[in-house]
Amino acid sequence: MRKLLMVVLILLLIVAGFYLYARAEARFDPVVRTATVKLPRWPKGIKPVRAVLISDVHIGSQAMDEARLTRIVDQINALNPDIVLMAGDFIYGHDPHGGRKLGPGLVAPFKKLHPPLGVVAVLGNHDHWTGADDVTSLLAQARITVLVNDVTARGPIAIGGVDDDYTHHADIAATMAKLRPFEGARIILTHSPDIAPRLPGDVHLLLAGHTHCGQGVLPFYGPVASVSHFGDRYRCGLVLDPGHAVIVTGGLGTSGPPLRFGAPPDLWLITIEG
């Protein structure tokens, strides 16, 4: 009996240690990952653009509050990007009024961003579930352009913002119809990377989030769950598909429990050039 109690105690200590570590990892400062991507249609004589990609803030969870987001914004500013791109899921949870209740905490931190080419965003599934209009309005207060199957030109790049595929709001055809008349290199920004196989051949870079890189990735097992229809294909990082590159950021916050394990928060500093 004494040995059994000892084994149970050890197991409880292991579980408690795992929980405490996973809770701490969820609030780590994001790892800065880097990539250089060469794109066709780059205007001659124009220097590369340094873009920071973030996603999945999920403000309102125990893993993300205004103070932590402010610290992350300071980290982004220290990288001196030319543009900041945000791939959706700003709000935590499923409350239809969550955007109105939790979203105001986004405004003051995001107002501190000052890249010369501005800040461009798309919405994610949680933003649609918690009030897309409210989230869009709050981001506008922070001088962030939200693209809903729409396009904007920033310097030498034309950005097509495809709305969230997970909630069936994506319209690739409409976005491409607006994108093609623009000069410059073409980028698609969206929330879920699952649109990657449906991209036309004249788009060579897709930027996305949504997956949290698995959020919980166990040794010898892998991700506890997947939110992609393609399994691990677009779970995390730089993926080279025929004809285009896909970069999937692990995001900053958490969905569900405020825990991460083996998938720390991250952001990407991407050098885009011709």
Side-chain angles (χ1 to χ4, degrees), residues 67-78:
R68 180 171 179 246
L69 184 57
T70 299
R71 189 170 72 245
I72 292 171
V73 165
D74 290 340
Q75 184 180 1
I76 293 170
N77 284 334

Side-chain angles (χ1 to χ4, degrees), residues 31 33-35 37 53-56 87 188-196 205-214 227-228 230-241 244-252 260 263-270:
V31 176
R33 308 192 190 279
T34 60
V37 180
L53 170 67
I54 67 170
S55 186
D56 299 278
I188 292 292
L189 175 68
T190 194
H191 183 57
S192 169
D194 279 6
I195 69 168
L205 179 60
L206 172 67
L207 305 178
H210 184 55
T211 66
H212 299 202
C213 283
V227 292
S228 170
F230 298 96
D232 277 353
R233 175 67 182 168
Y234 302 113
R235 179 171 63 85
C236 198
L238 175 62
V239 182
L240 298 178
D241 275 352
H244 59 255
V246 181
I247 295 178
V248 183
T249 174
L252 304 176
R260 278 183 178 260
D266 74 20
L267 59 83
W268 281 78
L269 177 62
I270 307 164

Side-chain angles (χ1 to χ4, degrees), residues 47-163:
K47 68 178 184 178
V49 168
R50 288 161 50 89
V52 163
L53 170 67
I54 67 170
S55 186
D56 299 278
V57 174
H58 288 297
I59 196 161
S61 78
Q62 294 181 42
M64 181 64 72
D65 52 25
E66 188 172 339
R68 180 171 179 246
L69 184 57
T70 299
R71 189 170 72 245
I72 292 171
V73 165
D74 290 340
Q75 184 180 1
I76 293 170
N77 284 334
L79 296 172
N80 294 313
D82 298 304
I83 190 169
V84 175
L85 303 172
M86 300 180 170
D89 266 11
F90 295 94
I91 309 298
Y92 175 77
H94 300 79
D95 181 351
H97 305 293
R100 193 179 315 151
K101 295 175 182 176
L102 305 175
L106 299 167
V107 178
F110 281 162
K111 273 187 175 180
K112 296 178 65 179
L113 291 168
H114 47 70
L117 298 181
V119 184
V120 179
V122 292
L123 300 180
N125 51 296
H126 281 269
D127 305 317
H128 282 285
W129 292 335
T130 58
D133 290 342
D134 292 325
V135 178
T136 300
S137 176
L138 289 163
L139 294 176
Q141 292 178 37
R143 301 183 296 273
I144 296 172
T145 299
V146 179
L147 299 177
V148 180
N149 298 313
D150 207 350
V151 176
T152 186
R154 301 296 169 102
I157 57 177
I159 304 164
V162 175
D163 204 357

